[in-house]
Amino acid sequence: MILPIYAYGQKVLKKKAKDVDLDDPGIKEFIANMWETMYNAQGVGLAAPQVGKSMRIFLVDTVQTMKKGEESKGVKKAFINPEIIEEWGEEWSYEEGCLSIPHLRGDVDRWSDIAIRYYDLDGNEYEEEYDGINARVIQHEYDHIEGKLFTEHLKPLKRQLIKRKLEAIRKGNVDADYRLKFVV
Ligand code: NI
């Protein structure tokens, strides 16, 4: 089932999300709905707060972004109750966007390397390292479950420039190819 995506201005996007109970029988279906919602909106990542649930769950599929023949360099999985343990390497800038903030993009500096601990649907625990675009998307989605949006990473001048656009989104004055849920 495709879920509406909560747009900029929704309080759930500003909340630090809580760990989920892996024995909760509803989690499997919820995650299946999240995948469907993410692909319908042509996203490479989606976090539970973006569909209105303050839960520590996010999905990433960077396989879609890889060149033909290099699909194995991508990551496609659901991260449940994740914790970024460490970030290191070099800070690099890349233009990001977000399904909750349609048609708005901006350069964000992030560390190149991360170590993350998380669970899968069967309750198995993993500890893995990622870099490049994989780390980038994971960091963006991880921010969502910490109640943070990429716009908060933008430089002061850029933040000033996008203020009106953000206000327009908050008020529902924006179009997208997928269903959005606005505050009003
Ligand atoms: Ni996002």
mmCIF file of all heavy atoms in Angstrom, residues 11-50:
data_model
loop_
_atom_site.group_PDB
_atom_site.id
_atom_site.type_symbol
_atom_site.label_atom_id
_atom_site.label_comp_id
_atom_site.label_asym_id
_atom_site.label_seq_id
_atom_site.Cartn_x
_atom_site.Cartn_y
_atom_site.Cartn_z
ATOM 1 N N LYS A 11 5.284 17.962 12.224
ATOM 2 C CA LYS A 11 6.058 17.836 13.472
ATOM 3 C C LYS A 11 6.837 16.520 13.571
ATOM 4 O O LYS A 11 7.929 16.481 14.129
ATOM 5 C CB LYS A 11 5.107 17.937 14.669
ATOM 6 C CG LYS A 11 4.722 19.364 15.006
ATOM 7 C CD LYS A 11 4.354 19.459 16.495
ATOM 8 C CE LYS A 11 3.941 20.869 16.874
ATOM 9 N NZ LYS A 11 2.530 21.146 16.515
ATOM 10 N N VAL A 12 6.280 15.454 13.009
ATOM 11 C CA VAL A 12 6.926 14.135 13.124
ATOM 12 C C VAL A 12 8.327 14.143 12.506
ATOM 13 O O VAL A 12 9.211 13.389 12.909
ATOM 14 C CB VAL A 12 6.026 13.039 12.490
ATOM 15 C CG1 VAL A 12 5.901 13.228 10.982
ATOM 16 C CG2 VAL A 12 6.526 11.639 12.829
ATOM 17 N N LEU A 13 8.544 15.045 11.547
ATOM 18 C CA LEU A 13 9.858 15.130 10.883
ATOM 19 C C LEU A 13 10.911 15.766 11.784
ATOM 20 O O LEU A 13 12.103 15.701 11.496
ATOM 21 C CB LEU A 13 9.743 15.932 9.577
ATOM 22 C CG LEU A 13 8.860 15.327 8.485
ATOM 23 C CD1 LEU A 13 8.730 16.299 7.314
ATOM 24 C CD2 LEU A 13 9.437 13.998 8.004
ATOM 25 N N LYS A 14 10.453 16.419 12.870
ATOM 26 C CA LYS A 14 11.381 17.110 13.771
ATOM 27 C C LYS A 14 11.638 16.324 15.056
ATOM 28 O O LYS A 14 12.356 16.780 15.936
ATOM 29 C CB LYS A 14 10.817 18.498 14.134
ATOM 30 C CG LYS A 14 10.689 19.452 12.970
ATOM 31 C CD LYS A 14 12.029 19.765 12.313
ATOM 32 C CE LYS A 14 13.009 20.367 13.322
ATOM 33 N NZ LYS A 14 14.404 20.227 12.838
ATOM 34 N N LYS A 15 10.992 15.146 15.169
ATOM 35 C CA LYS A 15 11.106 14.358 16.399
ATOM 36 C C LYS A 15 12.191 13.303 16.300
ATOM 37 O O LYS A 15 12.376 12.691 15.245
ATOM 38 C CB LYS A 15 9.776 13.639 16.664
ATOM 39 C CG LYS A 15 8.897 14.359 17.663
ATOM 40 C CD LYS A 15 7.523 13.726 17.751
ATOM 41 C CE LYS A 15 7.487 12.411 18.510
ATOM 42 N NZ LYS A 15 6.095 11.908 18.612
ATOM 43 N N LYS A 16 12.888 13.064 17.402
ATOM 44 C CA LYS A 16 13.828 11.936 17.443
ATOM 45 C C LYS A 16 12.992 10.669 17.572
ATOM 46 O O LYS A 16 12.175 10.549 18.492
ATOM 47 C CB LYS A 16 14.776 12.095 18.639
ATOM 48 C CG LYS A 16 15.891 11.072 18.671
ATOM 49 C CD LYS A 16 16.815 11.330 19.865
ATOM 50 C CE LYS A 16 17.630 10.101 20.213
ATOM 51 N NZ LYS A 16 18.846 9.938 19.447
ATOM 52 N N ALA A 17 13.168 9.747 16.629
ATOM 53 C CA ALA A 17 12.333 8.547 16.591
ATOM 54 C C ALA A 17 12.782 7.515 17.627
ATOM 55 O O ALA A 17 13.925 7.512 18.077
ATOM 56 C CB ALA A 17 12.367 7.940 15.194
ATOM 57 N N LYS A 18 11.836 6.639 17.988
ATOM 58 C CA LYS A 18 12.096 5.615 19.008
ATOM 59 C C LYS A 18 12.369 4.247 18.367
ATOM 60 O O LYS A 18 11.851 3.919 17.305
ATOM 61 C CB LYS A 18 10.871 5.486 19.918
ATOM 62 C CG LYS A 18 10.608 6.754 20.720
ATOM 63 C CD LYS A 18 10.492 6.425 22.205
ATOM 64 C CE LYS A 18 10.692 7.645 23.084
ATOM 65 N NZ LYS A 18 9.667 8.665 22.891
ATOM 66 N N ASP A 19 13.161 3.440 19.067
ATOM 67 C CA ASP A 19 13.414 2.062 18.630
ATOM 68 C C ASP A 19 12.095 1.308 18.512
ATOM 69 O O ASP A 19 11.158 1.568 19.264
ATOM 70 C CB ASP A 19 14.300 1.340 19.651
ATOM 71 C CG ASP A 19 15.778 1.595 19.404
ATOM 72 O OD1 ASP A 19 16.126 2.088 18.314
ATOM 73 O OD2 ASP A 19 16.588 1.292 20.303
ATOM 74 N N VAL A 20 12.045 0.345 17.598
ATOM 75 C CA VAL A 20 10.841 -0.456 17.439
ATOM 76 C C VAL A 20 11.036 -1.821 18.081
ATOM 77 O O VAL A 20 12.164 -2.288 18.240
ATOM 78 C CB VAL A 20 10.452 -0.634 15.949
ATOM 79 C CG1 VAL A 20 10.155 0.703 15.318
ATOM 80 C CG2 VAL A 20 11.533 -1.369 15.165
ATOM 81 N N ASP A 21 9.935 -2.445 18.434
ATOM 82 C CA ASP A 21 9.946 -3.793 18.973
ATOM 83 C C ASP A 21 9.960 -4.758 17.789
ATOM 84 O O ASP A 21 9.016 -4.798 17.002
ATOM 85 C CB ASP A 21 8.681 -3.985 19.827
ATOM 86 C CG ASP A 21 8.565 -5.395 20.374
ATOM 87 O OD1 ASP A 21 9.464 -6.230 20.093
ATOM 88 O OD2 ASP A 21 7.569 -5.669 21.062
ATOM 89 N N LEU A 22 11.047 -5.511 17.663
ATOM 90 C CA LEU A 22 11.204 -6.392 16.503
ATOM 91 C C LEU A 22 10.175 -7.523 16.474
ATOM 92 O O LEU A 22 9.981 -8.161 15.442
ATOM 93 C CB LEU A 22 12.625 -6.957 16.464
ATOM 94 C CG LEU A 22 13.683 -5.933 16.029
ATOM 95 C CD1 LEU A 22 15.055 -6.304 16.547
ATOM 96 C CD2 LEU A 22 13.711 -5.816 14.510
ATOM 97 N N ASP A 23 9.529 -7.760 17.609
ATOM 98 C CA ASP A 23 8.503 -8.811 17.647
ATOM 99 C C ASP A 23 7.132 -8.284 17.225
ATOM 100 O O ASP A 23 6.173 -9.044 17.140
ATOM 101 C CB ASP A 23 8.405 -9.409 19.065
ATOM 102 C CG ASP A 23 9.692 -10.122 19.456
ATOM 103 O OD1 ASP A 23 10.302 -10.741 18.558
ATOM 104 O OD2 ASP A 23 10.082 -10.049 20.637
ATOM 105 N N ASP A 24 7.045 -6.991 17.009
ATOM 106 C CA ASP A 24 5.773 -6.387 16.584
ATOM 107 C C ASP A 24 5.368 -6.973 15.226
ATOM 108 O O ASP A 24 6.077 -6.830 14.232
ATOM 109 C CB ASP A 24 5.969 -4.867 16.475
ATOM 110 C CG ASP A 24 4.687 -4.148 16.071
ATOM 111 O OD1 ASP A 24 3.783 -4.800 15.505
ATOM 112 O OD2 ASP A 24 4.608 -2.934 16.312
ATOM 113 N N PRO A 25 4.218 -7.678 15.192
ATOM 114 C CA PRO A 25 3.816 -8.355 13.947
ATOM 115 C C PRO A 25 3.495 -7.383 12.798
ATOM 116 O O PRO A 25 3.459 -7.791 11.641
ATOM 117 C CB PRO A 25 2.574 -9.145 14.362
ATOM 118 C CG PRO A 25 2.066 -8.464 15.584
ATOM 119 C CD PRO A 25 3.254 -7.873 16.280
ATOM 120 N N GLY A 26 3.287 -6.122 13.107
ATOM 121 C CA GLY A 26 2.934 -5.160 12.066
ATOM 122 C C GLY A 26 4.122 -4.596 11.304
ATOM 123 O O GLY A 26 3.965 -3.959 10.254
ATOM 124 N N ILE A 27 5.330 -4.821 11.836
ATOM 125 C CA ILE A 27 6.529 -4.193 11.271
ATOM 126 C C ILE A 27 6.803 -4.642 9.833
ATOM 127 O O ILE A 27 7.140 -3.841 8.965
ATOM 128 C CB ILE A 27 7.779 -4.493 12.154
ATOM 129 C CG1 ILE A 27 7.636 -3.831 13.528
ATOM 130 C CG2 ILE A 27 9.059 -4.024 11.481
ATOM 131 C CD1 ILE A 27 7.704 -2.323 13.525
ATOM 132 N N LYS A 28 6.610 -5.932 9.582
ATOM 133 C CA LYS A 28 6.897 -6.485 8.257
ATOM 134 C C LYS A 28 6.054 -5.798 7.175
ATOM 135 O O LYS A 28 6.567 -5.379 6.131
ATOM 136 C CB LYS A 28 6.626 -7.994 8.268
ATOM 137 C CG LYS A 28 7.473 -8.760 7.277
ATOM 138 C CD LYS A 28 7.414 -10.254 7.549
ATOM 139 C CE LYS A 28 8.814 -10.816 7.530
ATOM 140 N NZ LYS A 28 8.959 -12.133 8.076
ATOM 141 N N GLU A 29 4.764 -5.691 7.450
ATOM 142 C CA GLU A 29 3.856 -5.085 6.477
ATOM 143 C C GLU A 29 4.155 -3.590 6.331
ATOM 144 O O GLU A 29 4.114 -3.044 5.225
ATOM 145 C CB GLU A 29 2.405 -5.298 6.900
ATOM 146 C CG GLU A 29 1.434 -4.941 5.783
ATOM 147 C CD GLU A 29 -0.028 -5.021 6.209
ATOM 148 O OE1 GLU A 29 -0.328 -5.677 7.221
ATOM 149 O OE2 GLU A 29 -0.853 -4.394 5.518
ATOM 150 N N PHE A 30 4.476 -2.957 7.462
ATOM 151 C CA PHE A 30 4.799 -1.531 7.426
ATOM 152 C C PHE A 30 6.006 -1.282 6.515
ATOM 153 O O PHE A 30 6.001 -0.369 5.678
ATOM 154 C CB PHE A 30 5.063 -1.021 8.849
ATOM 155 C CG PHE A 30 5.523 0.408 8.892
ATOM 156 C CD1 PHE A 30 4.699 1.433 8.446
ATOM 157 C CD2 PHE A 30 6.788 0.738 9.377
ATOM 158 C CE1 PHE A 30 5.117 2.759 8.479
ATOM 159 C CE2 PHE A 30 7.208 2.054 9.410
ATOM 160 C CZ PHE A 30 6.378 3.060 8.959
ATOM 161 N N ILE A 31 7.035 -2.122 6.655
ATOM 162 C CA ILE A 31 8.234 -1.956 5.836
ATOM 163 C C ILE A 31 7.935 -2.239 4.358
ATOM 164 O O ILE A 31 8.430 -1.538 3.466
ATOM 165 C CB ILE A 31 9.400 -2.814 6.388
ATOM 166 C CG1 ILE A 31 9.887 -2.189 7.712
ATOM 167 C CG2 ILE A 31 10.551 -2.912 5.385
ATOM 168 C CD1 ILE A 31 10.986 -2.943 8.421
ATOM 169 N N ALA A 32 7.087 -3.229 4.096
ATOM 170 C CA ALA A 32 6.683 -3.510 2.707
ATOM 171 C C ALA A 32 5.980 -2.279 2.119
ATOM 172 O O ALA A 32 6.222 -1.901 0.961
ATOM 173 C CB ALA A 32 5.771 -4.732 2.667
ATOM 174 N N ASN A 33 5.147 -1.641 2.917
ATOM 175 C CA ASN A 33 4.460 -0.421 2.464
ATOM 176 C C ASN A 33 5.451 0.716 2.229
ATOM 177 O O ASN A 33 5.289 1.498 1.291
ATOM 178 C CB ASN A 33 3.407 0.012 3.481
ATOM 179 C CG ASN A 33 2.218 -0.926 3.519
ATOM 180 O OD1 ASN A 33 1.980 -1.672 2.573
ATOM 181 N ND2 ASN A 33 1.478 -0.904 4.615
ATOM 182 N N MET A 34 6.465 0.778 3.088
ATOM 183 C CA MET A 34 7.487 1.822 2.906
ATOM 184 C C MET A 34 8.229 1.628 1.580
ATOM 185 O O MET A 34 8.480 2.586 0.851
ATOM 186 C CB MET A 34 8.488 1.821 4.075
ATOM 187 C CG MET A 34 7.978 2.502 5.345
ATOM 188 S SD MET A 34 9.246 2.513 6.661
ATOM 189 C CE MET A 34 10.469 3.658 5.988
ATOM 190 N N TRP A 35 8.592 0.382 1.258
ATOM 191 C CA TRP A 35 9.286 0.114 -0.027
ATOM 192 C C TRP A 35 8.418 0.577 -1.192
ATOM 193 O O TRP A 35 8.886 1.244 -2.109
ATOM 194 C CB TRP A 35 9.588 -1.381 -0.198
ATOM 195 C CG TRP A 35 10.767 -1.916 0.568
ATOM 196 C CD1 TRP A 35 10.742 -2.845 1.557
ATOM 197 C CD2 TRP A 35 12.162 -1.558 0.398
ATOM 198 N NE1 TRP A 35 12.017 -3.087 2.017
ATOM 199 C CE2 TRP A 35 12.901 -2.323 1.322
ATOM 200 C CE3 TRP A 35 12.850 -0.671 -0.445
ATOM 201 C CZ2 TRP A 35 14.292 -2.237 1.437
ATOM 202 C CZ3 TRP A 35 14.234 -0.580 -0.334
ATOM 203 C CH2 TRP A 35 14.943 -1.345 0.594
ATOM 204 N N GLU A 36 7.141 0.206 -1.134
ATOM 205 C CA GLU A 36 6.233 0.551 -2.224
ATOM 206 C C GLU A 36 6.121 2.077 -2.353
ATOM 207 O O GLU A 36 6.123 2.626 -3.462
ATOM 208 C CB GLU A 36 4.862 -0.072 -1.933
ATOM 209 C CG GLU A 36 4.022 -0.299 -3.161
ATOM 210 C CD GLU A 36 2.653 -0.894 -2.831
ATOM 211 O OE1 GLU A 36 2.505 -1.566 -1.796
ATOM 212 O OE2 GLU A 36 1.734 -0.649 -3.628
ATOM 213 N N THR A 37 6.048 2.734 -1.212
ATOM 214 C CA THR A 37 5.923 4.198 -1.182
ATOM 215 C C THR A 37 7.175 4.866 -1.738
ATOM 216 O O THR A 37 7.097 5.816 -2.528
ATOM 217 C CB THR A 37 5.682 4.677 0.269
ATOM 218 O OG1 THR A 37 4.504 4.037 0.764
ATOM 219 C CG2 THR A 37 5.534 6.185 0.348
ATOM 220 N N MET A 38 8.344 4.337 -1.355
ATOM 221 C CA MET A 38 9.610 4.905 -1.815
ATOM 222 C C MET A 38 9.762 4.779 -3.330
ATOM 223 O O MET A 38 10.096 5.751 -4.012
ATOM 224 C CB MET A 38 10.788 4.222 -1.111
ATOM 225 C CG MET A 38 12.142 4.841 -1.450
ATOM 226 S SD MET A 38 13.539 3.889 -0.790
ATOM 227 C CE MET A 38 13.813 2.773 -2.154
ATOM 228 N N TYR A 39 9.485 3.590 -3.858
ATOM 229 C CA TYR A 39 9.645 3.384 -5.308
ATOM 230 C C TYR A 39 8.611 4.178 -6.105
ATOM 231 O O TYR A 39 8.914 4.698 -7.172
ATOM 232 C CB TYR A 39 9.593 1.895 -5.665
ATOM 233 C CG TYR A 39 10.827 1.144 -5.218
ATOM 234 C CD1 TYR A 39 10.746 0.024 -4.405
ATOM 235 C CD2 TYR A 39 12.094 1.583 -5.611
ATOM 236 C CE1 TYR A 39 11.888 -0.648 -3.985
ATOM 237 C CE2 TYR A 39 13.241 0.917 -5.203
ATOM 238 C CZ TYR A 39 13.131 -0.191 -4.392
ATOM 239 O OH TYR A 39 14.264 -0.848 -3.977
ATOM 240 N N ASN A 40 7.414 4.281 -5.565
ATOM 241 C CA ASN A 40 6.369 5.056 -6.239
ATOM 242 C C ASN A 40 6.794 6.521 -6.396
ATOM 243 O O ASN A 40 6.441 7.174 -7.373
ATOM 244 C CB ASN A 40 5.070 4.964 -5.450
ATOM 245 C CG ASN A 40 3.981 5.821 -6.045
ATOM 246 O OD1 ASN A 40 3.520 5.568 -7.156
ATOM 247 N ND2 ASN A 40 3.582 6.871 -5.338
ATOM 248 N N ALA A 41 7.567 7.004 -5.411
ATOM 249 C CA ALA A 41 8.014 8.405 -5.439
ATOM 250 C C ALA A 41 9.404 8.539 -6.065
ATOM 251 O O ALA A 41 9.993 9.622 -6.052
ATOM 252 C CB ALA A 41 8.022 8.976 -4.023
ATOM 253 N N GLN A 42 9.928 7.432 -6.587
ATOM 254 C CA GLN A 42 11.247 7.400 -7.207
ATOM 255 C C GLN A 42 12.357 7.872 -6.270
ATOM 256 O O GLN A 42 13.265 8.615 -6.660
ATOM 257 C CB GLN A 42 11.249 8.217 -8.498
ATOM 258 C CG GLN A 42 10.345 7.574 -9.550
ATOM 259 C CD GLN A 42 10.310 8.352 -10.843
ATOM 260 O OE1 GLN A 42 10.015 9.542 -10.842
ATOM 261 N NE2 GLN A 42 10.627 7.677 -11.938
ATOM 262 N N GLY A 43 12.268 7.420 -5.031
ATOM 263 C CA GLY A 43 13.280 7.783 -4.042
ATOM 264 C C GLY A 43 14.387 6.745 -3.955
ATOM 265 O O GLY A 43 14.219 5.605 -4.397
ATOM 266 N N VAL A 44 15.528 7.144 -3.381
ATOM 267 C CA VAL A 44 16.620 6.201 -3.121
ATOM 268 C C VAL A 44 16.689 5.889 -1.625
ATOM 269 O O VAL A 44 17.502 5.074 -1.189
ATOM 270 C CB VAL A 44 17.993 6.726 -3.609
ATOM 271 C CG1 VAL A 44 18.007 6.823 -5.126
ATOM 272 C CG2 VAL A 44 18.349 8.059 -2.973
ATOM 273 N N GLY A 45 15.821 6.560 -0.852
ATOM 274 C CA GLY A 45 15.761 6.312 0.577
ATOM 275 C C GLY A 45 14.444 6.825 1.134
ATOM 276 O O GLY A 45 13.809 7.695 0.523
ATOM 277 N N LEU A 46 14.033 6.246 2.257
ATOM 278 C CA LEU A 46 12.806 6.708 2.917
ATOM 279 C C LEU A 46 12.890 6.313 4.389
ATOM 280 O O LEU A 46 13.264 5.191 4.715
ATOM 281 C CB LEU A 46 11.568 6.065 2.278
ATOM 282 C CG LEU A 46 10.212 6.532 2.820
ATOM 283 C CD1 LEU A 46 9.894 7.956 2.351
ATOM 284 C CD2 LEU A 46 9.083 5.585 2.396
ATOM 285 N N ALA A 47 12.550 7.252 5.259
ATOM 286 C CA ALA A 47 12.581 6.977 6.698
ATOM 287 C C ALA A 47 11.155 6.987 7.250
ATOM 288 O O ALA A 47 10.290 7.704 6.743
ATOM 289 C CB ALA A 47 13.437 8.034 7.405
ATOM 290 N N ALA A 48 10.932 6.179 8.295
ATOM 291 C CA ALA A 48 9.578 6.026 8.851
ATOM 292 C C ALA A 48 8.899 7.362 9.208
ATOM 293 O O ALA A 48 7.705 7.509 8.952
ATOM 294 C CB ALA A 48 9.613 5.087 10.057
ATOM 295 N N PRO A 49 9.627 8.336 9.776
ATOM 296 C CA PRO A 49 8.953 9.609 10.079
ATOM 297 C C PRO A 49 8.350 10.270 8.836
ATOM 298 O O PRO A 49 7.385 11.030 8.939
ATOM 299 C CB PRO A 49 10.077 10.478 10.668
ATOM 300 C CG PRO A 49 11.050 9.495 11.228
ATOM 301 C CD PRO A 49 11.016 8.327 10.284
ATOM 302 N N GLN A 50 8.896 9.953 7.669
ATOM 303 C CA GLN A 50 8.376 10.539 6.424
ATOM 304 C C GLN A 50 7.018 9.966 6.025
ATOM 305 O O GLN A 50 6.364 10.510 5.135
ATOM 306 C CB GLN A 50 9.371 10.327 5.269
ATOM 307 C CG GLN A 50 10.652 11.123 5.436
ATOM 308 C CD GLN A 50 11.541 10.943 4.225
ATOM 309 O OE1 GLN A 50 12.281 9.969 4.130
ATOM 310 N NE2 GLN A 50 11.461 11.869 3.292
#
